[in-house]
């Protein structure tokens, strides 16, 4: 279908975008890569009266390493992260192959994915797993929101309507982390996605709740020996899952167990 | 509300007065008459509308035309400006990489953008890339072969060119 009519506004700066959002209120949506929003507008699931286009703002895209910290601009595309050499943040690049397909990754942005807050989205899982901070700018200036407090429900975040995500800050390298997932066809939304960080003893799952679900695991120690396969059983066993149309709780639990195990293996070899 | 904008498509600049809700694919087809780009699902699943935006393959149904003002857009028409098939199209023809042809413009632009960035893909990588676009006729095998063959020919031509420039 065709989207409903809207008024188009092009922001030239972050302050300009925030000004537009403040002025237009709840009737405005931010559009960046548009890979989720435009599809929803074409279906008329979303009918914003105003669209604030931030893709022409300079300086919002790019990846910057500052000591142990990695900062990723909100307009950075998935493809740019996939192609970047990120060293001990390599889990981010490797995870990108799970984001949709190539033509989606060339347009879709990191900030957009976080703001959209699909509970199976790779960026949402990675942000929670690696304790990223989401930098948002609003009329009162900038604030940093920990990823663990950002995702409130399905497609619902702690972002205020007049705030714009400008950057994602990953505070520490994750040399032994990995993300993997399963969908019936490659590139589809994941039925279950699993991300693990062996150094932080943490597993984050997508597709098992309304937001990314975090599970702490028994310490794996700092050795580079084989990761604890027991994580997979512990995590899968601890989840409360219900039968849903097309996918039973039993099947989903099996997926969780297998994917956590696979992610652990991948994380331990860093491949 | 009508918006004025300027789009660069296949190297040509166009002045347009259109509604902002016009997606790029609708502008290409309805306002510019470039009907080579097809419309399938209109929600980013089928890939029939794939074009190049600044060289990168993208879904023209998931972009509002206003967003790509200033970008270089390329459509399937740019592959054969003189009406003759280019090497990629020739490979699709030789390998029977199409039957009904509906997905072909999208497949061609996907391959064109991908090969420009990755001239030496493995067959497995090509398979993964073309999985983004739906084809209901070929079963994909012939499409993969066509792209693989085109990549080989381009590499060979490049080597020849290098050898020639050394003489």
């Amino acid at each position: 279908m065709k989207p409903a009519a809207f008024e188009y506004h092009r922001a030239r700066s972050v302050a300009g975008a925030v000004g537009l959002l403040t002025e237009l209120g709840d009737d405005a949506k931010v559009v960046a890569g548009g890979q989720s929003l435009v599809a929803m507008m074409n279906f008329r699931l979303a009918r914003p009266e105003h669209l604030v286009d931030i893709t022409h703002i300079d300086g919002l895209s790019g990846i910057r390493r500052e000591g142990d910290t990695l900062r990723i601009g909100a307009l950075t595309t998935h493809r740019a992260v996939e192609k970047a050499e990120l060293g001990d943040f390599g889990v981010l690049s490797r995870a990108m192959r799970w984001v949709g397909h190539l033509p989606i990754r060339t347009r879709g942005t990191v900030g957009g994915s976080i703001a959209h807050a699909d509970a199976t989205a790779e960026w949402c899982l990675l942000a929670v797993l690696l304790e990223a901070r989401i930098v948002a700018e609003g009329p009162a200036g900038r604030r940093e929101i920990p990823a663990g407090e950002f995702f409130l429900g399905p497609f619902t975040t702690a972002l205020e309507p007049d705030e714009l995500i400008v950057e994602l800050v990953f505070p520490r390298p994750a040399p032994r982390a990995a993300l993997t997932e399963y969908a019936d066809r490659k590139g589809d939304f994941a039925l279950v996605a699993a991300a693990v960080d062996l150094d932080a003893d943490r597993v984050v799952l997508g597709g098992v709740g309304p937001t990314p679900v975090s599970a702490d695991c028994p310490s794996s120690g700092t050795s580079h020996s084989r990761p604890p396969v027991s994580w997979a059983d512990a995590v899968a066993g601890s989840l409360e899952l219900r039968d849903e149309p097309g996918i039973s709780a039993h099947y989903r639990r099996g997926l969780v167990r297998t994917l956590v195990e696979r992610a652990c293996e991948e994380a331990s070899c860093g491949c | 509300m009508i918006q004025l904008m300027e789009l660069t498509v296949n190297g040509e600049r166009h002045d347009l007065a259109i509604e902002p809700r016009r997606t790029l694919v609708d502008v290409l087809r309805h306002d510019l008459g470039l009907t080579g780009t097809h419309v399938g699902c209109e929600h980013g699943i089928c890939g029939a509308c794939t074009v190049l935006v600044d060289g990168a393959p993208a879904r023209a149904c998931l972009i509002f035309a206003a967003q790509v003002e200033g970008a270089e857009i390329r459509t399937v028409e740019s592959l054969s400006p003189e009406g003759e098939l280019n090497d990629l199209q020739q490979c699709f023809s030789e390998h029977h990489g199409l039957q009904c042809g509906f997905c072909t413009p999208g497949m061609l632009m996907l391959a064109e953008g991908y090969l420009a960035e990755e001239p030496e893909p493995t067959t497995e990588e090509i398979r993964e890339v073309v999985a983004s676009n739906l084809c209901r006729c070929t079963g994909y095998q012939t499409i993969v072969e066509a792209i693989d063959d085109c990549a080989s020919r381009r590499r060979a031509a490049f080597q020849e060119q290098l050898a020639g420039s050394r003489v």
Side-chain angles (χ1 to χ4, degrees):
Chain A
M1 293 204 315
K2 311 294 179 193
F6 58 83
E7 208 169 312
Y8 175 85
H9 307 265
R10 183 178 295 165
R12 293 286 182 186
S13 66
V14 174
V18 171
L20 280 166
L21 292 175
T22 310
E23 176 194 325
L24 300 169
D26 282 349
D27 294 333
K29 285 288 276 183
V30 172
V31 67
Q35 300 301 285
S36 302
L37 179 60
V38 181
M40 287 170 69
M41 289 175 67
N42 286 353
F43 272 129
R44 302 209 179 186
L45 291 172
R47 305 174 67 137
E49 283 180 32
H50 300 273
L51 217 51
V52 177
D53 182 4
I54 61 167
T55 53
H56 291 77
I57 300 178
D58 286 333
L60 273 191
S61 106
I63 306 171
R64 240 172 42 242
R65 180 80 187 243
E66 283 173 7
D68 268 351
T69 302
L70 192 75
R71 310 179 82 94
I72 304 183
L75 283 183
T76 311
T77 63
H78 311 306
R79 185 64 175 163
V81 176
E82 186 179 15
K83 301 285 276 183
E85 297 285 341
L86 297 181
D88 45 15
F89 282 99
V91 58
L92 300 177
S93 304
R94 291 192 299 275
M96 290 302 101
R97 62 176 182 248
W98 295 105
V99 182
H101 294 285
L102 172 67
I104 301 292
R105 299 200 286 269
T106 61
R107 298 292 303 172
T109 66
V110 176
S113 193
I114 292 285
H116 185 56
D118 186 310
T120 60
E122 293 76 10
W123 278 111
C124 302
L125 266 64
L126 290 166
V128 173
L129 179 77
L130 304 177
E131 296 180 309
R133 301 189 300 272
I134 290 129
V135 184
E137 184 164 323
R142 291 197 176 191
R143 64 172 179 139
E144 293 195 352
I145 310 159
E149 298 165 19
F150 188 78
F151 303 105
L152 304 180
F155 308 109
T156 309
T157 70
L159 206 63
E160 297 295 334
D162 55 3
E163 281 182 317
L164 183 73
I165 297 177
V166 292
E167 196 174 49
L168 235 68
V169 182
F170 289 89
R172 56 180 162 75
R176 296 201 306 152
L179 179 146
T180 191
E181 59 188 56
Y182 178 78
D184 287 337
R185 290 174 309 176
K186 181 87 194 343
D188 280 4
F189 293 103
L191 286 177
V192 173
V196 306
D197 184 347
L198 298 182
D199 294 316
D201 298 319
R202 185 176 299 122
V203 172
V204 177
L205 299 169
V208 300
T211 60
V213 170
S214 194
D216 283 321
C217 295
S219 173
S220 62
T222 51
S223 76
H224 285 254
S225 60
R226 198 178 155 73
V229 176
S230 60
W231 278 17
D233 287 324
V235 170
S238 70
L239 295 170
E240 280 186 32
L241 298 172
R242 264 180 296 182
D243 289 338
E244 282 166 43
I247 175 165
S248 69
H250 176 75
Y251 178 61
R252 204 184 289 268
R253 198 179 305 282
L255 277 179
V256 169
R257 188 178 298 116
T258 302
L259 291 170
V260 170
E261 204 173 307
R262 273 188 205 164
C264 283
E265 272 169 31
E266 201 185 301
S268 63
C269 72
C271 56
Chain B
M1 193 187 77
I2 296 293
Q3 185 126 14
L4 299 177
M5 66 185 81
E6 185 185 290
L7 279 192
T8 307
V9 181
N10 301 334
E12 235 177 274
R13 281 166 46 171
H14 302 271
D15 289 314
L16 296 160
I18 54 172
E19 276 191 286
R21 65 171 168 157
R22 274 278 210 232
T23 56
L24 176 58
V25 71
D26 282 345
V27 168
L28 292 173
R29 291 177 57 86
H30 298 295
D31 299 296
L32 303 182
L34 295 169
T35 52
T37 306
H38 290 172
V39 188
C41 68
E42 292 191 315
H43 63 282
I45 296 299
C46 77
C49 66
T50 306
V51 297
L52 301 186
V53 177
D54 289 330
R59 309 278 207 233
C61 73
L62 293 187
I63 303 169
F64 290 116
Q67 294 195 273
V68 285
E69 203 172 17
E72 294 279 341
I73 313 295
R74 274 186 66 199
T75 67
V76 69
E77 284 88 351
S78 72
L79 296 182
S80 50
E82 307 299 325
E84 302 227 334
L85 300 185
N86 84 343
D87 57 344
L88 179 64
Q89 291 168 311
Q90 192 63 43
C91 285
F92 267 65
S93 169
E94 286 173 22
H95 289 271
H96 304 284
L98 65 153
Q99 188 176 321
C100 83
F102 193 84
C103 74
T104 313
M107 287 286 186
L108 287 169
M109 296 319 284
L110 176 66
E112 184 72 14
Y114 176 61
L115 289 183
E117 189 186 280
E118 180 48 81
E120 296 184 45
T122 63
T123 313
E124 202 42 51
E125 285 166 343
I126 296 173
R127 292 179 72 85
E128 185 159 340
V129 167
V130 298
S132 78
N133 288 22
L134 293 183
C135 171
R136 295 304 195 210
C137 303
T138 65
Y140 289 87
Q141 189 56 34
T142 53
I143 294 175
V144 173
E145 284 164 11
I147 296 171
D148 199 15
D149 190 22
C150 180
S152 307
R153 290 189 201 183
R154 285 183 182 181
R155 287 197 299 271
F158 182 66
Q159 287 301 332
E160 232 167 76
Q161 215 179 348
L162 277 184
S165 66
R166 266 191 224 115
V167 173

